[in-house]
Amino acid sequence: MLIELATPGDLASIARISRAVGQVEAGSGADPAYVSHLLRNGTVRVARDEGGNVLGWGATATGPLGWMLTDLFVDPHHHGRGLGGALLRELWPDQRAGGRFTFSSRHPHALPLYVRAGLRPAWPLLYLTGPAPARGDGSCVATAVEAAAVAAADRELTGGVRAAAYDYWSGAGVLVHRGSQLVAAGVAEGGTLTHLTCPGGPDAAETLTAALRCLGTAAVALCLPGPHPAVNALLRAGFRIEDYDLAMHTPDVQLPVTWVYSPGLG
């Protein structure tokens, strides 16, 4: 087995493995645009057998929250052979280092692997779908803007740079203000609120409500931390939990529970 950097020539093999483990949507390894983004802006590695066949793949990227493992998947026919651990050791070569996090699937091989790498389970990342909120209390106002404006606003809120992620996300930007104060920045693609940077505060739930109303669709989807202050209200309003991942991180990482997250790009 050989672990090495992936190339554009590996896109088809990465897609094949991703589809085999049920990762078929846009923003997964089955999406060549997503993997190409990671090749340009992160680190992508593949595990090959002696014949050069790709048996597994993984990727990392850095951002305002830390060093993220975006993906780690092994061909189902080769589970249990240590490929995931070998890939992870190459992607995170110093597993004593801090600043690392991921959104883990609930696969029984995944959680022990990440715990051994020094990550702790935190909270579920809920995949939610439901009706767009009809109204809020009016304290926050969301507007649609160009993606470039959102990248600058995100940097204002976090002090970090996410321009590459916003370049990849092709939807409309969303800014949320309370009066003249910027309180959140994100991006929406169709009826999905793909990401929302929201530092929090007492109006985090209304901030989210305003952003969801800005999508302009009758039904919406988003990935929300289980402890988010809006979860109970959304469930009472008819939202469904379609699936969930588990946020895991090293002790020095603080993952805000008031953000909307992209499972692949944070």
Side-chain angles (χ1 to χ4, degrees):
M1 181 182 64
L2 176 66
I3 308 294
E4 61 183 13
L5 289 171
T7 71
D10 295 315
L11 288 174
S13 295
I14 289 171
R16 172 183 54 79
I17 291 169
S18 299
R19 289 192 295 267
V21 297
Q23 301 289 310
V24 298
E25 64 276 0
S28 76
D31 178 1
Y34 171 73
V35 181
S36 296
H37 165 79
L38 292 173
L39 286 170
R40 293 190 303 270
N41 299 286
T43 299
V44 185
R45 294 189 181 273
V46 294
R48 303 185 193 275
D49 64 14
E50 59 274 14
N53 301 302
V54 176
L55 307 181
W57 78 284
T60 58
T62 57
L65 298 179
W67 192 5
M68 182 182 184
L69 179 72
T70 66
D71 300 271
L72 184 63
F73 297 104
V74 172
D75 187 315
H77 294 100
H78 298 278
H79 283 175
R81 295 177 52 189
L83 294 177
L87 279 163
L88 189 61
R89 286 189 293 273
E90 293 292 330
L91 290 163
W92 277 337
D94 183 0
Q95 296 193 358
R96 297 167 299 177
R100 295 174 288 126
F101 73 100
T102 194
F103 294 114
S104 171
S105 72
R106 290 170 286 126
H107 192 283
H109 292 167
L111 300 185
L113 178 65
Y114 299 142
V115 169
R116 289 194 295 269
L119 277 63
R120 299 176 178 176
W123 35 257
L125 181 67
L126 307 176
Y127 289 61
L128 293 164
T129 60
R135 59 186 179 279
D137 65 16
S139 61
C140 295
V141 176
T143 53
V145 297
E146 295 294 328
V150 181
D154 192 292
R155 184 170 186 173
E156 178 183 339
L157 291 168
T158 67
V161 178
R162 294 177 61 86
Y166 281 109
D167 284 343
Y168 165 73
W169 290 322
S170 59
V174 178
L175 297 182
V176 185
H177 288 82
R178 183 179 62 246
S180 61
Q181 180 186 5
L182 175 69
V183 293
V187 65
E189 299 175 273
T192 298
L193 186 58
T194 305
H195 173 84
L196 188 70
T197 295
C198 178
D203 58 354
E206 174 57 24
T207 300
L208 177 63
T209 298
L212 291 175
R213 290 199 307 273
C214 189
L215 271 59
T217 57
V220 297
L222 70 163
C223 293
L224 206 61
H228 192 286
V231 166
N232 285 345
L234 292 177
L235 293 176
R236 289 195 301 268
F239 274 70
R240 296 169 54 93
I241 299 173
E242 305 291 349
D243 198 357
Y244 68 91
D245 291 333
L246 187 62
M248 302 188 72
H249 57 81
T250 50
D252 57 326
V253 169
Q254 298 294 322
L255 296 179
V257 298
T258 51
W259 286 28
V260 173
Y261 286 93
S262 160
L265 297 178

